[in-house]
Amino acid sequence: MSNARAARPTRRGILAAGGALGLGAALAACGDDDASSSGSPSSAGASAKSGSWTFKDDRGTTVKLDEIPANIVAFTGVGAALYDYGIQVKGVFGPTRTAAGKADVQAGDMDITKVTVLGNVWDEFNVEKYAALTPDVLISTMFDSAGTLWYVPEASKDKIAKLAPSVGVSVYDRQLTAPLQRMWELAESLGADMTAAAVTDAKKKFEDAAARLRAAAKAKPEIKVLAGSASEALFYVSGTNLSIDLEYFKALGVNFIEPPESAKAEGGGWYESLSWENVDKYAADIIMMDDRSSTIQPADITEATWKTLPAVKAGQVIARSPEPILSYAKCVPLLENLAEALEKAKKVS
């Protein structure tokens, strides 16, 4: 069951189910709720102007360097977000290349030929290549309250930690706007021009898209939305709790199907696993499907029970990004696509 990630017991649990992470990765499942423990844009800017660099991350850890980091290594999605703000990382780890050699969806607009890929799948991280990059800092997201850096292998984390300080951005049990703000602050501290038109325009578009989604949800409160993820053996139904995107969409008024807590126990509180025979357990009008390359995409699902679902027959299936690239530019389409789906949706459940 390559996609199933069980919460605390296995670091591979949560990903699977379209839950916070989604199938092909892994996670030590619980989360850091205290986004406010992070450094502010003003303090980051001050250190940048002085030539030194200081940043307090979501673990409460303060990293201090004599200069602004130049050799940055990051989880792929973090590298993609920083790229949108004009910061180029030197190395990445996490889903970066597809089997066909193209950029993975989590790589965003990065030119993957210009970064050193230290690992492309779970538990893969070339420590020797990492050391050769002479890293100043390693940056990743965190899906638990223990400060576990996403996609940094448990077996080699101590060796990795000795080579450079790390920064963690929490993406656990909070709304999307919180980590978006943290990534903004981090990019600013690293020297990004946050007054650039492309940056400010993207933030304004995000705010407009959020207003559109709120209005769409208010206009069609009867439309029920299910967040799903597909593997060969199982179909996963995510609850809104813990996932940054779903928590935010729910706050904007979207009517999500919520598996009971007891059903999500195996998935660490993130999701319920269903056999394909029981994929019709919940009646949905719109289905949002995990778009990561580690999951089976809707067009490739051959199960007969899937094809008979009312939302599938009505063509009311859209993509979902359980691990959003944390730049405003990349999150605008997430809001707009769901808003459009709600605006066009017919009640079919």
Side-chain angles (χ1 to χ4, degrees):
M1 200 164 72
S2 62
N3 293 333
R5 315 266 186 235
R8 256 199 181 325
T10 70
R11 297 195 51 176
R12 289 194 138 89
I14 296 180
L15 271 163
L21 323 199
L23 286 44
L27 174 152
C30 294
D32 175 13
D33 306 90
D34 187 10
S36 64
S37 69
S38 22
S40 67
S42 57
S43 63
S47 65
K49 291 174 184 176
S50 67
S52 61
W53 186 74
T54 300
F55 192 83
K56 187 176 182 181
D57 75 358
D58 290 340
R59 299 169 297 185
T61 299
T62 299
V63 177
K64 297 181 179 180
L65 299 174
D66 292 338
E67 297 178 335
I68 297 173
N71 296 346
I72 301 169
V73 173
F75 171 67
T76 301
V78 171
L82 292 176
Y83 182 87
D84 286 351
Y85 290 128
I87 304 296
Q88 176 69 56
V89 303
K90 290 194 71 173
V92 294
F93 53 95
T96 307
R97 297 192 194 96
T98 66
K102 297 181 179 180
D104 188 274
V105 64
Q106 290 185 257
D109 292 329
M110 281 194 302
D111 182 346
I112 63 173
T113 67
K114 294 184 178 179
V115 293
T116 298
V117 181
L118 303 174
N120 198 57
V121 298
W122 185 252
D123 261 350
E124 182 180 84
F125 191 113
N126 191 314
V127 181
E128 290 71 25
K129 281 187 177 181
Y130 178 57
L133 291 175
T134 60
D136 294 320
V137 68
L138 179 148
I139 309 172
S140 190
T141 48
M142 302 182 300
F143 285 90
D144 65 22
S145 57
T148 305
L149 297 173
W150 192 231
Y151 267 79
V152 173
E154 183 71 20
S156 55
K157 67 177 184 179
D158 293 339
K159 291 181 181 179
I160 292 168
K162 291 177 181 178
L163 295 171
S166 62
V167 166
V169 177
S170 179
V171 289
Y172 174 88
D173 196 17
R174 59 197 56 201
Q175 293 181 25
L176 177 60
T177 46
L180 270 174
Q181 178 61 27
R182 292 298 286 135
M183 193 62 68
W184 175 288
E185 294 168 5
L186 178 59
E188 184 177 43
S189 78
L190 293 169
D193 181 3
M194 309 314 280
T195 64
V199 173
T200 57
D201 288 353
K203 190 171 185 180
K204 177 60 166 60
K205 287 178 181 177
F206 179 89
E207 293 164 354
D208 291 345
R212 178 184 175 185
L213 179 54
R214 186 188 297 277
K218 184 177 181 179
K220 293 195 176 174
E222 75 282 4
I223 297 297
K224 293 185 291 184
V225 181
L226 181 147
S229 188
S231 72
E232 187 174 337
L234 295 170
F235 183 82
Y236 305 92
V237 179
S238 294
T240 58
N241 190 31
L242 308 183
S243 297
I244 57 172
D245 61 329
L246 302 185
E247 284 199 11
Y248 183 53
F249 299 157
K250 183 180 180 180
L252 293 176
V254 178
N255 179 13
F256 280 100
I257 288 169
E258 300 279 2
E261 290 303 315
S262 58
K264 295 188 294 180
E266 183 184 351
W270 297 83
Y271 60 83
E272 176 181 4
S273 340
L274 298 175
S275 66
W276 283 103
E277 290 76 12
N278 295 317
V279 74
D280 60 352
K281 178 177 179 179
Y282 299 106
D285 301 298
I286 294 173
I287 300 176
M288 302 176 68
M289 289 296 290
D290 189 337
D291 68 354
R292 285 168 297 183
S293 56
S294 57
T295 70
I296 299 176
Q297 296 305 300
D300 299 318
I301 297 175
T302 58
E303 300 290 341
T305 47
W306 164 261
K307 295 179 180 180
T308 61
L309 295 178
V312 175
K313 292 171 70 175
Q316 295 180 172
V317 177
I318 64 172
R320 175 198 169 206
S321 298
E323 292 183 68
I325 293 173
L326 296 172
S327 71
Y328 287 101
K330 290 296 182 294
C331 288
V332 168
L334 309 184
L335 297 169
E336 291 182 335
N337 292 344
L338 182 53
E340 182 179 12
L342 283 169
E343 291 162 356
K344 295 180 177 179
K346 296 178 181 179
K347 184 69 178 175
V348 295
S349 64

